[in-house]
Amino acid sequence: MTVRVGVIGAGMIGQDHIRRLTEVVTGAAVTAVADVDAERAAEVAARVGATVLPTGADLVASPDVDAVLVTSWGPTHAEHVLDAIAAGKPVFCEKPLATTVEDCLRIVEAERAHGRRLVQVGFMRRFDAGYRQMKEVLSTGSLGAPLIVHCAHRNPTVPESYHSAMAAQDTAVHEIDVLRWLLDDEIVSAQVVTPRATSRRFAHLKDPQIMIFETASGVRIDLEVFVNCQYGYDIQCEVVGEDGLVRLPDPAAVGVRTAARHGTGVLQDWKDRFAEAFDTEFREWVASVADGTEPTGPSSWDGYAATVITDAAVRSLETGGETVTTDMKPRPAFYGGTA
């Protein structure tokens, strides 16, 4: 079957996913688009022969939409996801699932009441080949119990609109999700400390930040978030176990030798670094919708956990580096837990 996807939100990420669904992924067609900017929605819809609908609610209710993709402004996500659950339609929601813990829990409870998983959250790191290889190594137990994780998330620059809390909410949230998945462990506390600030930042921004997390089993995670590093987009991850370590590979790049130097290029953009992961993410999601099976990607519970943990990190930043417990609810059996 061809999965008919309705897209709520026609901004940059929405347009990129529409391109992906129409030009890269087989078995999908974008049949409807809705956006608060009606002119933009019409322009984007015209490119792919989709219908323009006035609101997200109209799009979810459309008989021409089998599944919903939410790429609108973060505070609107909960409303659209809840509408999709009420309609019994699979919904892919770009992160965040919701901007408040309360709204995340509303989604979790609505999905549980529905009785099967409908929601997938757009944390694409789990679909990256390098992270999947790390997961395979850790799953064998050959490294012994994980003890320490070292991570870095570096961007060349960020715009003036980027503020200090976004280091957790928009940037570190990807590490938070992928590390919970890699370790199969829950994060129970967060601490954020700020070293000497780079002179390359805007004055209102605390950059870099060092985030320290602890998991339920005692693993310690340190994450450097440096969003004005200047030299490129650089993602690093290393898990140290009792009997060895596993390190995320850098993207493949040719080595160039010239003028007495040997070097490789450094990517400058997150879209280039994770292009294949985005494609794989949507291929697998579309396949699950077509087969009528539950999605295997990040769940509503993972969206809730990410919001709880980023809230704790922001509170730590605001209190000058206090360690903040996450106080997460027990994971329900519906999402693979014991509660």
Side-chain angles (χ1 to χ4, degrees):
M1 66 172 287
T2 296
V3 176
R4 300 172 299 171
V5 181
V7 181
I8 303 173
M12 179 190 70
I13 191 68
Q15 291 182 45
D16 194 42
H17 288 338
I18 288 172
R19 176 198 61 77
R20 185 166 284 110
L21 287 167
T22 55
E23 298 179 13
V24 178
V25 176
T26 59
V30 175
T31 55
V33 176
D35 192 275
V36 291
D37 185 335
E39 185 175 337
R40 179 170 64 187
E43 177 187 342
V44 171
R47 295 179 203 159
V48 295
T51 301
V52 178
L53 293 172
T55 68
D58 292 320
L59 184 144
V60 170
S62 171
D64 297 323
V65 170
D66 302 314
V68 179
L69 169 58
V70 178
T71 55
S72 54
W73 186 45
T76 68
H77 286 189
E79 169 193 351
H80 301 315
V81 172
L82 287 166
D83 283 347
I85 293 171
K89 293 186 177 183
V91 53
F92 184 108
C93 181
E94 265 302 342
K95 62 91 178 169
L97 174 64
T99 52
T100 68
V101 169
E102 291 76 18
D103 276 345
C104 288
L105 288 174
R106 288 174 62 208
I107 292 169
V108 164
E109 291 309 315
E111 191 175 39
R112 291 177 69 190
H114 177 75
R116 69 185 298 268
R117 276 194 58 192
L118 291 173
V119 181
Q120 179 165 322
V121 184
F123 291 119
M124 78 311 207
R125 298 273 185 97
R126 299 190 188 196
F127 300 88
D128 175 73
Y131 279 112
R132 285 188 161 185
Q133 290 167 12
M134 292 182 72
K135 178 71 169 176
E136 288 176 9
V137 171
L138 291 168
S139 296
T140 67
S142 61
L143 303 183
L147 306 174
I148 306 166
V149 183
H150 305 293
C151 296
H153 188 143
R154 304 183 183 115
N155 291 60
T157 59
V158 289
E160 191 169 4
S161 59
Y162 189 102
H163 54 80
S164 297
M166 292 172 70
Q169 295 165 337
D170 281 33
T171 302
V173 67
H174 287 290
E175 275 78 15
I176 287 168
D177 177 75
V178 82
L179 291 175
R180 293 177 57 252
W181 172 73
L182 277 177
L183 299 172
D184 193 22
D185 202 355
E186 199 52 83
I187 292 172
V188 297
S189 71
Q191 180 185 19
V192 180
V193 295
T194 52
R196 177 181 178 178
T198 174
S199 63
R200 305 292 191 240
R201 79 199 194 286
F202 289 103
H204 66 270
L205 180 61
K206 294 180 179 178
D207 184 47
Q209 298 179 26
I210 299 172
M211 302 183 183
I212 303 166
F213 303 103
E214 184 176 7
T215 73
S217 69
V219 177
R220 286 286 188 169
I221 300 164
D222 59 79
L223 166 60
E224 170 204 324
V225 176
F226 187 10
V227 294
N228 288 284
C229 79
Q230 305 299 305
Y231 71 86
Y233 183 75
D234 189 8
I235 303 299
Q236 301 292 325
C237 181
E238 179 180 271
V239 180
V240 181
E242 294 172 310
D243 301 312
L245 63 83
V246 59
R247 181 180 295 123
L248 181 70
D250 286 327
V254 297
V256 178
R257 299 186 185 209
T258 184
R261 293 184 180 275
H262 178 204
T264 57
V266 178
L267 293 175
Q268 299 296 301
D269 190 272
W270 55 270
K271 288 185 288 186
D272 291 333
R273 172 62 179 84
F274 289 110
E276 288 295 327
F278 278 117
D279 292 348
T280 301
E281 174 184 48
F282 275 92
R283 285 191 185 100
E284 294 187 10
W285 178 65
V286 168
S288 73
V289 176
D291 293 343
T293 56
E294 294 188 354
T296 58
S299 67
S300 294
W301 186 260
D302 296 315
Y304 158 73
T307 299
V308 170
I309 296 162
T310 56
D311 280 358
V314 171
R315 286 199 300 275
S316 177
L317 177 68
E318 292 172 345
T319 58
E322 292 183 8
T323 298
V324 178
T325 58
T326 57
D327 295 326
M328 198 176 301
K329 293 181 179 296
R331 184 198 296 255
F334 184 84
Y335 296 105
T338 58

